[in-house]
Amino acid sequence: MWGSSFPGFVRRPVADPLTLDTRGSDFARLSRRIAEAGLLDRRPVYYAVRFCLAAAAYAGAWALFWWAGDSWLQLLVAAVLAVVFAQFGFLAHDLGHRQVFRTRRPGDLVGLVIGDLCIGLGWGWWNAKHNRHHANPNHDDHDPDVSPAVIVWSSDQVGRSRGLPRFVARRQAFLFFPLLTLEAWHLHVASFRALGNPELKRRWIELALLTAHFAVYFGVVFATLSPVRAVAFLLVHQGLFGLYLGSTFAPNHKGMPMFTKADRLDFLRKQVLTSRNVRGGPLRDVLFGQLNYQIEHHLFPNMPAPNLRRAQPIVRDYCASIGVPYLETGVLESYGQALRHLHDVGAPLRAAPARS
């Protein structure tokens, strides 16, 4: 019914409504197994160590910036800072899912410091957007991560695309990674734009923290470096920051099945069928912020990150027992599947005359 492979799969059959009530119990059974294994328990020692290491890396990277002075060595420092910023982003992600603290308030407070003040990303805006993504992953109508702002993600979106997305879609597989170098700038701008929404909680606090971040960030860079080196530092730092973040998120859902309001799936299938895991050892886990266990993360978003690896065999075996496809690939293969999907989606535009 579901097909033997996902790459290039854009639309899928609508689930039989008569089976939805029965299927709802599939997740309940899996959830009991996960809870009985203790995998939803908090890991305070792990996160205390991880926060201390991240803070030390952040301070150390800026100390290295001070030591390098006005030299081209700063481009290497920019690359180091890009990795450190991304690791802070992974921590903010875990805080947003309440993986660290049991209650929301301390998670929000630390998230504001890490997100807004330390790396310049709006905590409230991003957290709300990411929660919408989790509720409806790869949903053409409801997932903000697959809105056709620049990239066109499905054949349905191709017909509706105009302007820049339609132009980019023709060669989007080749442009995807170069465009990721702009992702950090996009996130910064979107963070400030979101502050115009009066319904955003703590927006004045976020405005103050974001303003403080960029005042200090630009001030330190331009006070230390010559104008040419300062601009080069900013381009390398923010470009690699965006490329790193995008490269860790791309394998998770890109190229997996897309849904619309016509499709009806229970929670377990909605999360598993739209997600892809990336194989690897401990180093891969660190580099991906443990989001390479995307299937387990989407099924149990409040599960502490270090428990995802332990949950994987339970989830994989359970999916096999109920006949739900579970996709796990190497990192290069995952990129290949995502890029082939983007290339296939743009095929009709390459065959048709250009229009605005």
Side-chain angles (χ1 to χ4, degrees), residues 2 5 17 22-23 54 133 148 167 173 183 231 246 250 257 294 307 321 355:
W2 302 113
S5 62
T22 302
R23 287 178 175 178
H133 156 71
F167 174 79
E183 178 63 13
V231 171
Q294 191 67 195
N307 291 347
S321 72
R355 66 185 178 89

Side-chain angles (χ1 to χ4, degrees), residues 71-72 74-76 78-79 185 217 221-222 225-240:
S71 72
W72 289 110
Q74 292 290 10
L75 299 187
L76 295 177
W185 296 109
Y217 177 69
V221 170
F222 280 96
L225 307 179
S226 66
V228 173
R229 289 193 180 108
V231 171
F233 177 91
L234 294 174
L235 292 176
V236 171
H237 177 219
Q238 296 296 331
L240 291 180

Side-chain angles (χ1 to χ4, degrees), residues 136-144 146-147 157 257-263 270 274:
N136 291 285
N138 272 21
H139 195 289
D140 206 355
D141 304 302
H142 301 304
D143 183 357
V146 294
S147 63
Q157 292 179 353
M258 294 280 291
F259 297 103
T260 71
K261 58 185 177 183
D263 298 301
K270 178 166 53 173
T274 58

Side-chain angles (χ1 to χ4, degrees), residues 1 4 19 24-25 28 64-65 87 105 119 138 153 160 181 188 211 220 223 260 264 270 292 298 306 323 339:
M1 177 179 178
S4 59
T19 65
S25 61
L64 189 62
F65 175 91
Q87 290 295 324
R105 183 174 176 80
I119 62 176
N138 272 21
W153 303 104
R160 305 193 304 266
T181 61
H188 295 318
T211 302
V220 167
T260 71
R264 297 183 61 200
K270 178 166 53 173
N292 45 318
H298 260 258
L339 294 177

Side-chain angles (χ1 to χ4, degrees), residues 43-89:
R43 298 287 299 274
V45 175
Y46 164 84
Y47 275 110
V49 171
R50 186 173 166 189
F51 273 99
C52 288
L53 291 175
Y58 189 87
W62 283 114
L64 189 62
F65 175 91
W66 174 82
W67 172 83
D70 188 14
S71 72
W72 289 110
L73 284 175
Q74 292 290 10
L75 299 187
L76 295 177
V77 178
V80 172
L81 269 171
V83 174
V84 174
F85 270 43
Q87 290 295 324
F88 265 53

